[in-house]
Amino acid sequence: MGDTSHPGPRRVAVGERPRPRVDLRAVFGLESGAWAWTTAAQAAIAMTVSFALAAWLFGPQVATLAAMGSMTVLYEKKTPYVYRSAALALVGLGFVISVSLGSLASALSPWAAVFSIGLTAGLATWVCAAWRVDKPGPLFFVLVGAISTIVPGGLADVPLHAAIAASGAAVGWAVSMSGVFVRARHPERQAVAGAYRKLAVLLRAVGTPELDHAQHDASVAVADAWRLVLLAQTRGYRTSDEAARLRSLLRWVSDMHLATTQVCMARPTPLPPEAAAFAERMAAAVAAPEKAPDPADLDGLRRGMRPRSLEARLYGLMARAATTERRDAGGLDDERARTLHDERYPALWGALRSSLSQDSLIRPTALRMWITVTAAGALAMAVGLENSYWVGITTTAVLQGGNVVLTLNRSVQRSLGTLVGVVIGALIIAAHPPLAGVIVLAGLFQGAAQLVIGRNFFYGSLLITPMALLLSYTAAPHPITELAETRIVDTVVGSLVGLAGAMLLWRGASATRLPQSIVGVLEEARRSMAAVLDQDTVIDGRLRYELRRDMRAALVSLRGVYESAIGDVPRAASTQPLWPVVVATQRTGYLALSALALDGPEPVGTITLQRVDLAFRELISAMEERRTPRMGALPRLPAYPRINMELRALSTAMAGAVAQDERTARLEAEKRAELERRRAQGDLDADL
C-alpha cells in the first residue's frame, strides 16, 4: 500500500553501523538502562539469610556453599512466576551438580579440580545459551563450583556439601518467588509495557539516523514479550480476562510495530511527537487499564490524511488498540485475545540438539569456554599458583564478553575492578570482623554488585570481589597479605588467558556465520512474500503467526551475529563493509513482516510471483557464493513498493561488498608478491 503523502522512490538513509571500541568510556562509562534495585535487594537478602542459617546449622566454613547456592535469585528475573519456579529449580540443581563435581574433584587431586572447573564452565555455557538463560549465564555456576574446591572435606563430605548448596538454592528460590504474592502478573505486564515503550522510541526515530537501531530494539522487545506471555499461559490462567487482555495488547503492539515499519521506510522526516507520547501512555495502561489514552487524541494527527495512507493506518491501529483497552480492557470478547498459535514451553531437548549444529554459535562458544578455562587452571597449577580456582573464575567472566573487542574490555574491567576490590576486601578482613559482620557485609556487597553490574562490569567487579574474598577466606582462611597477592596475580593471569582464548579459538565464528544469517533472513522473507502474493495460499491466524515468529527470530539473530562479528579481530575488517547489506536485508525482512500484517493482502499473477521468488533466490545464491547478484528487472508490486527498492539496494550493497573483498584480496596478493620479490632479491644478494 503506497503512501501518497510522500511520493517518489526516496530511500531512507542508512544509519551508522555499531562500533565496539576499547576506550575509557567503554571501560568506565555507564550503559543506558535502569538500576536493578529489586535484584539488588533480593540478592542481598538471599545471601544474608542462607549464609547465616547454614553457619548456624553447619559451621561457617561450609556455610559459604549455601551463600553460593543462594545466587539462584540472580536468574530468571523477568520470566513469569509459574515458569520461574521450574526454571529456578533447574538452576538450583545445576548449582548442586557444580558443587558436587567440584567437591568430589578436590577430594581426588588438585589437577582433578582444575579439570572440573573447566568442564563446569563449558557445560554451563552450552546449557545456558541453548536454553536462553539470561545473564549472569554460566559465571555463577563456575563460581559455585570453583569455591567448592577449597571447602575442607573429603569424599565422605560430598553429599553434605551438595545438601548445603541445595539449602542455599532453596532460599534463593523462595526470595525470587516472593513477589508472586503481591505482583503475580508483573513480569508479563512489564514485558508488554516494554514493547510499547520501544515502539515509542521507534516512532521518535522515524526520519532519523537511529531508525535501523530503534527498529531492531523494538523487534527484540516484541519478541521477548511474546515469549514471556506464552510462558505464562497455564491452563487455569489462559481463559482469564487478564490473560486475554495482555494477549490483545501484545497483538496490537505487534501490528503497530509492523505498521510503523512501513511508515519509517517511506517517510524521511520525523513523525509528530504526539504519536510517541500516545504509545508511552499505552505502556502505562498495561498495568493500569484506566490510564489508557483517549483515541480522540489522535484526531489532530489524522486530520487531512488520505484514509489509505500509511500514517493513517498506523494511527488507526493505535486508536483501535486504545478503544479496545478502554471499552472492555481487552477481555475475551476481543477476537485478538481468544486464541493462541504456539506452544507454551520450548522444546528443551530439541534446543540442546540444535545448539550442536554446524550453523550454531553456541557450540564454538562453549568449546572455547571449556578449553580456555581448563588451560587457565592448568597454567596456574604448572607455575605454582596456589588455589588457582580464581584464575578459572576470572577467565570465565572475561570470556562472557563474546567477541575479541568485548572480551578485551571485560578483561580490563575485570582486572582493574578486582585490583581495587582486593584492596577493599583485604582491609575488611584485616579488621577481623565477627562472623555476623562477615555475613552482613557479604550480603551488602552482593546486593551492591548486582545493582551496578548491568550498567558497568568494572564497578560490578569492584564490588563482587570483596564478597568473594569474604566467602573464600571464611571457607579456607589464609594470611591476608598472601590472599590479596594471590588474588591479584590470579586475576591478571586469568584475564590474559581469557583474552588469548578469545583471540585464538574460533575468533571468526560470528564472521563466518554472518553470510548464512543473511541468507536465513532472505529465505524467511521469500517464504513470507510467497504466502502473501500467492493466490492459492490462505493465510489463517496460525500461519500468519508462524511466519511472523520465524521472520522476527531470523532478524533478531542476524543483528546479534553482526554485532558479534564486528568485534572479531582481525576478521572485522571484512565484516564492516557488510553493514549496508545487513541493513538492506533487515529492511527487506521487516517489510515482508509488515506485508503479513495487512488485512486482505492483494495477490498477484503467477508470473509476477515467480519473478519475485526468482529475485530472492538469486540474492540468496549470490550471498552464499559471495558474488555480485545478476538481478533482472523486478516486477512491479503496487501494494508493496518499498520491497522492490530494498531488494535493489541489497543487490547494490552486495556488489559493493564483493568489489571490496576483491580489492582487498588483490592488495593482499600484491603485498605477498612484493615480499616474495624482496626475499628473492635478498637471496640473490647473499649469493653474490
Side-chain angles (χ1 to χ4, degrees), residues 341 527-528 531-532 537-550 596:
H341 302 296
R527 179 177 166 225
S528 298
V532 170
T537 300
V538 178
I539 304 180
D540 57 12
R542 177 175 292 277
L543 178 60
R544 189 188 306 273
Y545 171 81
E546 291 175 351
L547 290 171
R548 287 166 65 166
R549 177 198 61 195
D550 296 343
L596 288 166

Side-chain angles (χ1 to χ4, degrees), residues 333-648:
D333 292 336
D334 181 8
E335 181 183 354
R336 294 168 171 266
R338 282 200 292 265
T339 57
L340 288 170
H341 302 296
D342 208 343
E343 298 296 328
R344 178 184 167 214
Y345 285 120
L348 296 182
W349 294 116
L352 288 178
R353 286 195 300 270
S354 64
S355 67
L356 298 176
S357 67
Q358 290 285 349
D359 297 330
S360 174
L361 278 173
I362 297 175
R363 185 178 64 174
T365 301
L367 287 173
R368 179 171 54 208
M369 182 71 78
W370 175 31
I371 294 171
T372 307
V373 173
T374 303
L379 175 63
M381 287 289 294
V383 299
L385 295 181
E386 189 177 356
N387 291 330
S388 57
Y389 71 93
W390 194 264
V391 177
I393 296 172
T394 301
T395 304
T396 302
V398 168
L399 283 177
Q400 280 192 282
N403 58 49
V404 175
V405 173
L406 295 178
T407 298
L408 180 55
N409 277 333
R410 287 180 74 95
S411 179
V412 174
Q413 290 173 324
R414 177 73 179 185
S415 299
L416 294 179
T418 299
L419 291 177
V420 179
V422 162
V423 173
I424 296 173
L427 291 175
I428 293 174
I429 293 174
H432 301 291
L435 178 60
V438 170
I439 293 172
V440 172
L441 286 172
L444 290 176
F445 276 119
Q446 169 74 322
Q450 300 311 315
L451 177 66
V452 302
I453 200 168
R455 304 285 302 274
N456 186 285
F457 190 67
F458 164 73
Y459 302 113
S461 296
L462 186 153
L463 292 166
I464 209 168
T465 299
M467 180 272 292
L469 277 176
L470 289 169
L471 294 181
S472 61
Y473 181 79
T474 304
H478 285 79
I480 186 55
T481 54
E482 177 186 337
L483 185 64
E485 292 174 0
T486 302
R487 291 300 168 270
I488 293 173
V489 174
D490 289 350
T491 298
V492 173
V493 172
S495 297
L496 292 176
V497 175
L499 181 59
M503 297 186 68
L504 296 176
L505 300 175
W506 292 282
R507 65 180 177 188
S510 298
T512 302
R513 285 161 175 77
L514 180 58
Q516 189 57 42
S517 297
I518 294 172
V519 167
V521 172
L522 292 177
E523 185 61 45
E524 289 297 334
R526 184 193 68 81
R527 179 177 166 225
S528 298
M529 290 307 302
V532 170
L533 300 176
D534 191 354
Q535 298 179 4
D536 298 327
T537 300
V538 178
I539 304 180
D540 57 12
R542 177 175 292 277
L543 178 60
R544 189 188 306 273
Y545 171 81
E546 291 175 351
L547 290 171
R548 287 166 65 166
R549 177 198 61 195
D550 296 343
M551 182 80 259
R552 201 183 300 276
L555 286 164
V556 171
S557 175
L558 169 61
R559 183 59 179 269
V561 171
Y562 179 80
E563 290 182 351
S564 179
I566 56 177
D568 283 338
V569 179
R571 288 205 180 192
S574 62
T575 302
Q576 291 169 1
L578 287 176
W579 174 240
V581 178
V582 171
V583 170
T585 304
Q586 283 187 152
R587 291 181 177 182
T588 301
Y590 284 121
L591 287 170
L593 263 176
S594 63
L596 288 166
L598 294 176
D599 295 327
E602 301 179 16
V604 299
T606 303
I607 301 300
T608 300
L609 175 61
Q610 290 175 346
R611 291 173 64 191
V612 171
D613 187 75
L614 183 63
F616 274 104
R617 291 184 184 278
E618 171 59 21
L619 289 168
I620 290 171
S621 297
M623 176 54 63
E624 290 176 335
E625 299 167 12
R626 296 307 296 266
R627 60 172 173 82
T628 299
R630 296 184 288 269
M631 298 283 287
L634 292 171
R636 186 170 176 269
L637 299 173
Y640 318 101
R642 295 286 159 177
I643 288 183
N644 279 2
M645 178 181 294
E646 290 304 326
L647 288 176
R648 286 192 293 269

Side-chain angles (χ1 to χ4, degrees), residues 157-181:
D157 296 309
V158 173
L160 174 62
H161 292 174
I164 294 173
S167 69
V171 172
W173 183 94
V175 172
S176 182
M177 292 294 297
S178 60
V180 72
F181 299 107

Side-chain angles (χ1 to χ4, degrees), residues 242 245 284-293 325-326 329:
E242 173 66 5
R245 186 179 74 88
V286 173
E290 67 276 5
K291 294 182 179 180
E325 182 71 357
R326 289 167 65 90

